[in-house]
Amino acid sequence: MIDEMTPVLQTGEGILPMTIESSGCNSENENSGRYMMPKATSSVKAGAFLCLSTLVALLVNHSFSSPATPLLGASLRSTGIPKDWSSLNEASGAVLITGATGRTGSLLYHELKRKGVPDVRAFVRDAEKAKKLLGCDACDESEGIFVGDLTEPDDVRRAMADGSVKILAVASGASGRGPTELQRAIEFDAVISMVKSLGETNANNNDALRVVFCSSMGSTNPKPSFGGDILHWKLNAEAFLSSSGISSTIIIKPCGLNNGSGNDSTLVVGHHDKLFEESPYHAVSRQDVANVMAESVMMTHDVSNSNALRFDLCSIPGPRTEDLKGLIESSRWEWDK
């Protein structure tokens, strides 16, 4: 999702290359180009024994039934207890929406309010715009409206400082016409700052945390014809989320966005931009995206399946999709169903 523009996405071709470099117990022999064990001197033997002992200790102490070890701090741990967000209340925590006065974020704000979520917080740049789009009166922190700059980590942290925010919904996005430095700052650096604040203000409560991230289709194309570096940084933000230690992450990658009323077409999900090849329809309404994000915020966290979902989202002519949870669950890989 790229706010402030409605791109015509093109079929993705290829994937971003990944290079893995090896270091640690094995060393690379520069002459042969292969990975070689060093000559077995006494000092090397001692070093090899230390490496092996370290690996054994890590394996013994690692809990394979819990989510990946968090990168946000040693105090952030999972208890493995299922968490159900479908009846959010003051006890279960607040939802913070970034980009809440954007064309998708404002729809998400109102959808969560309509669903009865009592503590929906909005991070915005302009209080006057918030008054117009969100319907607030004072439009300040007393109403859950936090005004600040997304690229300033302290501003975002202020919205989570009381430890009440358990779910972060990222609907913010940079303009494809903006400076490349700003695109990175909003699409990547700010995501890291947000998640860092979420984790640090909820130490020892990892199972109650979720991030719903609105990204974009088209990220399999290494040379997109639109949007500058936005897709590159969105993809990097997705990669960061996968290793962030947050117990539940849902990444939604819409196709081309339009301002239609929504709720009037069949929604489809997929992976790796294949929907571009399978259908001539390459658009979805922002309202439908907001609805799917709202469902992602509130749906049950089931520890029997992976809690990291990532899927493309588009629409085709047909009956309205009623079961949004079923739609989201259908995006799971076959081995995760």
Side-chain angles (χ1 to χ4, degrees):
M1 183 276 294
I2 302 175
D3 257 345
E4 314 224 359
M5 63 184 298
T6 306
V8 179
L9 298 180
Q10 300 185 11
T11 301
E13 297 178 356
I15 58 175
L16 294 177
M18 179 177 292
T19 301
I20 301 177
E21 299 179 352
S22 178
S23 62
C25 294
N26 285 358
S27 62
E28 184 177 4
N29 184 305
E30 294 181 357
N31 296 324
S32 67
R34 297 182 293 119
Y35 288 93
M36 306 288 290
M37 286 297 294
K39 185 177 179 181
T41 64
S42 59
S43 60
V44 170
K45 286 181 179 178
F49 177 77
L50 179 60
C51 284
L52 180 59
S53 300
T54 302
L55 287 172
V56 170
L58 287 172
L59 289 172
V60 168
N61 287 289
H62 183 77
S63 173
F64 291 98
S65 62
S66 65
T69 302
L71 300 183
L72 296 174
S75 62
L76 190 59
R77 289 291 183 264
S78 167
T79 63
I81 300 172
K83 177 70 177 177
D84 186 352
W85 282 277
S86 60
S87 56
L88 287 172
N89 53 43
E90 291 84 350
S92 59
V95 181
L96 175 65
I97 303 172
T98 65
T101 53
R103 286 177 286 181
T104 303
S106 59
L107 295 171
L108 173 60
Y109 179 88
H110 288 296
E111 182 64 15
L112 290 175
K113 287 285 192 179
R114 186 187 70 80
K115 287 178 174 290
V117 178
D119 192 352
V120 183
R121 302 184 183 186
F123 190 86
V124 304
R125 288 182 297 177
D126 187 332
E128 287 301 316
K129 188 175 181 181
K131 181 174 292 189
K132 177 181 178 182
L133 294 175
L134 305 183
C136 50
D137 295 318
C139 297
D140 59 17
E141 295 179 16
S142 68
E143 294 182 317
I145 308 297
F146 292 80
V147 180
D149 183 346
L150 200 62
T151 65
E152 293 293 335
D154 288 344
D155 286 0
V156 179
R157 189 180 181 88
R158 181 166 38 86
M160 308 186 209
D162 63 356
S164 296
V165 174
K166 308 301 180 187
I167 303 176
L168 174 65
V170 182
S172 44
S175 169
R177 299 181 294 273
T180 56
E181 296 83 3
L182 186 60
Q183 291 176 5
R184 171 178 173 147
I186 293 175
E187 301 287 359
F188 180 56
D189 296 332
V191 174
I192 295 176
S193 296
M194 295 176 216
V195 174
K196 183 173 185 289
S197 293
L198 181 67
E200 290 179 343
T201 55
N202 284 279
N204 297 317
N205 199 21
N206 187 30
D207 271 330
L209 304 184
R210 171 174 287 173
V211 175
V212 178
F213 178 57
C214 190
S215 184
S216 176
M217 281 183 67
S219 60
T220 61
N221 187 348
K223 296 181 180 180
S225 59
F226 61 89
D229 294 338
I230 285 177
L231 291 181
H232 170 76
W233 293 119
K234 281 189 179 295
L235 191 62
N236 274 273
E238 294 176 24
F240 162 73
L241 284 174
S242 71
S243 63
S244 65
I246 299 300
S247 62
S248 177
T249 57
I250 302 178
I251 298 169
I252 302 166
K253 298 168 67 69
C255 56
L257 296 171
N258 63 45
N259 296 317
S261 60
N263 300 305
D264 58 1
S265 61
T266 298
L267 302 180
V268 291
V269 295
H271 296 95
H272 302 156
D273 292 333
K274 295 297 184 182
L275 293 178
F276 286 143
E277 303 170 10
E278 297 169 359
S279 170
Y281 302 99
H282 298 162
V284 64
S285 74
R286 286 185 170 83
Q287 182 63 64
D288 284 328
V289 173
N291 293 346
V292 172
M293 290 186 72
E295 182 65 31
S296 298
V297 163
M298 302 181 69
M299 65 185 287
T300 300
H301 173 172
D302 186 354
V303 296
S304 66
N305 299 107
S306 166
N307 292 314
L309 295 177
R310 176 180 182 262
F311 56 89
D312 298 343
L313 175 67
C314 209
S315 66
I316 59 175
R320 171 188 174 184
T321 299
E322 301 281 354
D323 183 7
L324 295 182
K325 181 180 180 181
L327 174 77
I328 295 167
E329 291 289 352
S330 72
S331 72
R332 294 184 181 277
W333 297 103
E334 289 300 319
W335 57 85
D336 189 35
K337 293 181 179 178

